Amino acid sequence: MDTIETFISSIRDFRREWPDGRHDLDRVIQRYPFRVSRYYAGLIQFPGDPVWRQVVPDATELEDATGWEDPLAEEHLSPVPNLVHRYSNRVLWLVSQECALHCRFCTRKRRWREPLPMTEEHFHGALDYIASHREVRDVILSGGDPLLLPLPRLESVLINLRKIPHVEIIRIGARVPCALPEKVTPELVSILARYHPIYMNIHFNHPWEITRESSQACTRLADAGIPLGSQTVLLRGINDRADVLAALFQKLLTLRVRPYYLMQMDLTRGAAHFRTPLSSALNILKLLRNRISGLAMPHFVIDLPGGRGKVPLVPDSLKGIVDGKLMLKDYLGNECAYPLLPGEEEELVRWLVKK
Ligand SMILES: *Cc1c(COP(=O)(O)O)cnc(C)c1O
Ligand code: SF4
């Protein structure tokens, strides 16, 4: 990775061509530091493009007074430092402080300036917590980016988790295969492959992020038997169009990455300008449903503020029940009738009628 200063100066070059004179980025950077890998910066084609907007600071970040510092109440839900235990059978373990990029919409941007301390004591505290909670079957490693840990450290996380018999699944949430693919070395991949079952969810937001390099990184991971999923944040002016997301999701499938979640922007302070109305996601989903492969369709979820968990939202295709038939709209918007079993109606009404 290049120094931040080099990149800031390259931004200054861009700034001259940048349309509306939003020059004073230094104040923004002081609050929310700038960071980008040389590789990812190389994907920028012009100022204000979908790659640029994900990483280049914007004065608007300081104007947002409505958002929350910790919208998912992660700190409140941490029984021990760096571990978030929201659902009983799975935990989110923040193992790394470092990212390849500072995505300007990041839910954890509050941490950039003063990263979470991650000491040996915290490390063992998290492991002890997991070991003493037998209901935890699924450990999600996050950060920061776990793939930026020094390899011996990464391996030590995995070895120690595999000593805990009730931990069945290890998941890794990573942006590195998309943002700094050169880090996905054969050596890294061979370490991961020793601790199966390992799943990985990769953060991809735009078709331009799918390149020869990121494809190769995904191929390596998939060849090592790691089932790959993607997480995409719906971002205003970046990917909030059906054609853009269709292209992204379909391309991801060709890399053996299965779209997993499309996420509504969290209510993060300093990121409100990325938020889209919920209707825009529902519209997009309706347009995509059955027009792209079902394998390429992620769940659209809102991660509820205050740490209440993720809830999926689906476009409503329900019209009602008429003469023992459920009236639905198909993907083209045409109405159709689905016959119900005798006596089914009453129970179904209880499910479908909103209260
Ligand atoms: C998203 C998340 C999970 C995983 O949720 P899944 O729906 O199983 O992918 C677990 N813990 C926390 C705190 C999360 O935010
Ligand atoms: S890589 Fe993930 S954790 Fe890091 S800044 Fe981007 S969204 Fe946040």
Side-chain angles (χ1 to χ4, degrees):
M1 235 176 293
D2 222 330
T3 67
I4 289 176
E5 284 68 29
T6 322
F7 279 105
I8 292 179
S9 61
S10 76
I11 286 187
R12 285 189 216 279
D13 290 344
F14 267 135
R15 262 189 234 170
R16 252 175 269 130
E17 324 162 28
W18 204 8
D20 51 7
R22 302 184 190 177
H23 3 273
D24 191 23
L25 300 183
D26 299 335
R27 253 171 5 109
V28 187
I29 293 167
Q30 269 168 30
R31 169 102 180 255
Y32 300 118
F34 172 73
R35 187 176 175 88
V36 70
S37 66
R38 172 174 280 195
Y39 162 81
Y40 197 81
L43 304 181
I44 293 175
Q45 296 181 16
F46 53 86
D49 77 22
V51 176
W52 166 289
R53 285 178 190 221
Q54 292 189 57
V55 290
V56 175
D58 189 302
T60 326
E61 293 174 45
L62 296 180
E63 288 159 20
D64 169 24
T66 57
W68 308 14
E69 288 285 321
D70 179 10
L72 306 181
E74 291 180 327
E75 271 144 51
H76 177 71
L77 291 169
S78 293
V80 295
N82 308 337
L83 196 85
V84 187
H85 196 178
R86 179 195 290 163
Y87 306 115
S88 72
N89 68 347
R90 49 216 198 274
V91 295
L92 182 74
W93 185 12
L94 309 177
V95 291
S96 159
Q97 297 169 322
E98 207 187 344
C99 295
L101 315 172
H102 281 171
C103 313
R104 307 313 296 181
F105 47 84
C106 177
T107 302
R108 302 194 188 116
K109 68 192 287 180
R110 66 183 180 280
R111 300 259 177 75
W112 292 344
R113 215 174 38 175
E114 286 172 61
L116 273 184
M118 290 187 180
T119 62
E120 279 308 295
E121 199 186 336
H122 293 151
F123 180 76
H124 291 288
L127 280 169
D128 290 345
Y129 181 90
I130 297 168
S132 63
H133 284 76
R134 301 181 54 105
E135 69 276 19
V136 174
R137 302 170 147 234
D138 182 345
V139 176
I140 302 157
L141 303 176
S142 180
D145 201 309
L147 300 189
L148 290 181
L149 285 176
L151 294 186
R153 181 59 166 194
L154 178 63
E155 184 150 28
S156 140
V157 169
L158 299 171
I159 291 175
N160 281 291
L161 284 176
R162 281 290 170 239
K163 285 185 194 150
I164 305 174
H166 55 268
V167 172
E168 293 171 343
I169 303 295
I170 300 175
R171 280 198 250 178
I172 298 178
R175 185 120 159 91
V176 155
C178 160
L180 189 58
E182 71 228 44
K183 280 275 177 185
V184 183
T185 57
E187 197 188 355
L188 170 96
V189 173
S190 73
I191 291 176
L192 298 178
R194 271 179 236 145
Y195 301 94
H196 272 311
I198 294 211
Y199 284 67
M200 190 177 292
N201 275 331
I202 307 174
H203 181 169
F204 275 103
N205 292 330
H206 196 275
W208 291 4
E209 295 170 345
I210 297 177
T211 61
R212 194 171 43 81
E213 291 87 346
S214 61
S215 305
Q216 191 197 34
C218 292
T219 301
R220 271 193 190 148
L221 293 162
D223 284 350
I226 302 171
L228 302 176
S230 67
Q231 301 201 154
T232 298
V233 185
L234 188 61
L235 298 164
R236 194 163 94 197
I238 294 176
N239 63 6
D240 56 342
R241 280 183 12 207
D243 58 336
V244 172
L245 287 180
L248 174 66
F249 298 152
Q250 272 172 319
K251 279 187 169 181
L252 285 171
L253 268 195
T254 68
L255 309 186
R256 288 178 282 169
V257 177
R258 174 142 192 213
Y260 177 55
Y261 278 150
L262 173 66
M263 314 188 80
Q264 174 70 4
M265 265 291 302
D266 292 330
L267 308 180
T268 313
R269 180 164 308 158
H273 54 296
F274 290 110
R275 247 179 102 191
T276 52
L278 288 170
S279 59
S280 104
L282 292 171
N283 253 321
I284 292 171
L285 292 177
K286 198 175 113 208
L287 286 171
L288 295 188
R289 180 79 239 174
N290 287 347
R291 287 182 172 83
I292 62 174
S293 162
L295 272 179
M297 280 297 287
H299 298 285
F300 172 61
V301 292
I302 307 180
D303 215 337
L304 292 173
R308 306 283 298 272
K310 296 181 183 72
V311 281
L313 236 62
V314 280
D316 199 353
S317 50
L318 212 62
K319 302 288 286 182
I321 298 177
V322 179
D323 295 337
K325 294 194 175 80
L326 182 64
M327 304 307 293
L328 297 164
K329 267 192 299 183
D330 68 14
Y331 74 105
L332 297 170
N334 302 319
E335 212 168 290
C336 55
Y338 177 84
L340 301 176
L341 291 168
E344 184 185 0
E345 185 169 332
E346 198 185 321
E347 170 78 12
L348 189 62
V349 165
R350 271 203 290 276
W351 274 98
L352 301 181
V353 172
K354 286 129 197 132
K355 285 187 222 94

